[in-house]
Amino acid sequence: MRIEVNGKRLEVAAETLAALLDELEYDERHVATALNQAFVRKVDRDAARLKDDDRVEIVSPRQGG
Amino acid sequence: MQERASDADPLGLYGVSLASRLIIGTAQYPSPAILAEAIRAARAEIVTVSLRRESGASRAGEKFWALIRDLGVRVLPNTAGCRTVKEAVTTAQMAREVFNTSWIKLEVIGEEDTLQPDVFGLVEAAAILSRDGFQVFPYTTEDLVVAEKLLRAGCDVLMPWGAPIGTARGLNNPYALRALRAHFPQTPLIVDAGLGAPSHAAAAMELGFDGILLNTAIAKAGDPVAMARAFALGVEAGRVGYRAVPMQPRDMAAPSTPVIGTPFSDLARA
């Protein structure tokens, strides 16, 4: 399916958020996720099913002011 | 025994007692090593951090987070860059999970040129997050009415700007900051953003503010580590000076050396 990950359109095979992190080679322990602007907890990623045109944010710690 | 201005003077933020009144940001430093050295030189116990998009294999976030964890400081994640309540709330929720803290520096930006807080969105987001168990540090203006609404929304700390972020202008509105201090004598007030020189920090502390949060003035200094130390000294000088109660200004001169016994004082002067 085609979804948007961090602002980029991607064709992915993953059907859940957890599978998406695996497919894109993220270390799931060190990132936080949102699906269509709603926070998805680590423990809920397996159950978070993806569909066409979903927008996923995957973030990690950075410098900040 | 009477309390003295030089006695231990911890800062309390959401039940956490801190010796340092200087909170510094972690962005824009020339290198991670200089960042680490500057945090040590500032004697900071709290540093601000953010969340940004991660690309799969880069692991950039892990490296930065490891550096901060090794310093043993407390982190205050921000919602920098958020322009809506929804963005800010979701970012705060993600930050709580990643950084394992309920503290959040809440920014809802309303205007691009000044990066002025959208105070309407700020109050709304602060209420949502406070109800959700967050301990909110709102980046706000010096507006008294907004401050009152933020406290009612559940904030126990207020962080009014000194000047727009990154401008190094110092305290743009000392009158309003003084009014804020007088109006909320028990609320921890931290001047956040816009400072450029250690004297700006000292001036804010002399107004009775409880702490200073800044980033760019240290990170973009010619020598960030030396500037971190200078700001720490400025904050301390201002705080001790405030507690020592400065004398009031007066219009006419008053000699500091005793007048009685001045040589030649009985001679007529031309």
Side-chain angles (χ1 to χ4, degrees), chain A residues 5-26:
Chain A
V5 179
N6 286 348
K8 289 182 187 161
R9 298 283 297 173
L10 291 180
E11 182 73 38
V12 299
E15 294 186 349
T16 67
L17 195 48
L20 178 72
L21 293 180
D22 197 38
E23 182 178 335
L24 299 179
E25 298 181 0
Y26 283 93

Side-chain angles (χ1 to χ4, degrees), chain A residues 4-8 21 23-45 55-65, chain B residues 24-28 35 48-62 64-65 69 78 80 84 86-87 90 93-95 97-99 105 107 213 215:
Chain A
E4 198 173 285
V5 179
N6 286 348
K8 289 182 187 161
L21 293 180
E23 182 178 335
L24 299 179
E25 298 181 0
Y26 283 93
D27 182 339
E28 55 90 24
R29 296 167 303 168
H30 294 106
V31 295
T33 50
L35 179 56
N36 299 324
Q37 276 205 305
F39 171 54
V40 179
R41 298 181 304 166
K42 274 194 179 87
V43 294
D44 295 331
R45 287 176 193 158
R55 285 171 298 130
V56 176
E57 294 285 339
I58 305 169
V59 298
S60 70
R62 282 296 190 288
Q63 298 83 352
Chain B
I24 66 173
T26 54
Q28 306 186 78
L35 163 63
T48 54
V49 292
S50 74
L51 287 176
R52 286 294 177 264
R53 287 172 167 171
E54 178 75 293
S55 61
S58 82
R59 305 285 190 265
E62 284 178 46
F64 170 69
W65 188 213
R69 272 192 312 229
N78 69 29
T84 67
K86 178 72 177 164
E87 288 173 15
T90 300
Q93 290 167 332
M94 293 194 289
E97 184 178 75
V98 166
F99 294 110
K105 174 184 164 179
E107 295 183 35
L213 196 167
N215 188 151

Side-chain angles (χ1 to χ4, degrees), chain B residues 153-211:
Chain B
C155 301
D156 284 349
V157 176
L158 297 174
M159 301 209 299
W161 61 354
I165 295 168
T167 60
R169 298 180 60 84
L171 305 180
N172 263 356
N173 195 345
Y175 164 78
L177 292 173
R178 194 178 291 116
L180 203 61
R181 177 72 287 171
H183 206 73
F184 302 105
Q186 304 303 325
T187 302
L189 298 178
I190 294 169
V191 167
D192 175 9
L195 306 190
S199 57
H200 297 155
M205 298 303 288
E206 285 174 17
L207 289 178
F209 277 74
D210 296 285

Side-chain angles (χ1 to χ4, degrees), chain B residues 11 17-18 22 43 78 86 101 117-118 141 144 146 152 169 182 184 189 201 216 239 245 247:
Chain B
L11 169 63
S17 181
L18 303 147
L22 177 58
R43 298 183 187 279
N78 69 29
K86 178 72 177 164
T101 177
D118 166 3
T141 65
L144 277 181
V146 172
R152 273 195 229 135
R169 298 180 60 84
F184 302 105
L189 298 178
T216 314
R239 177 65 184 177
V245 188
M247 67 173 282

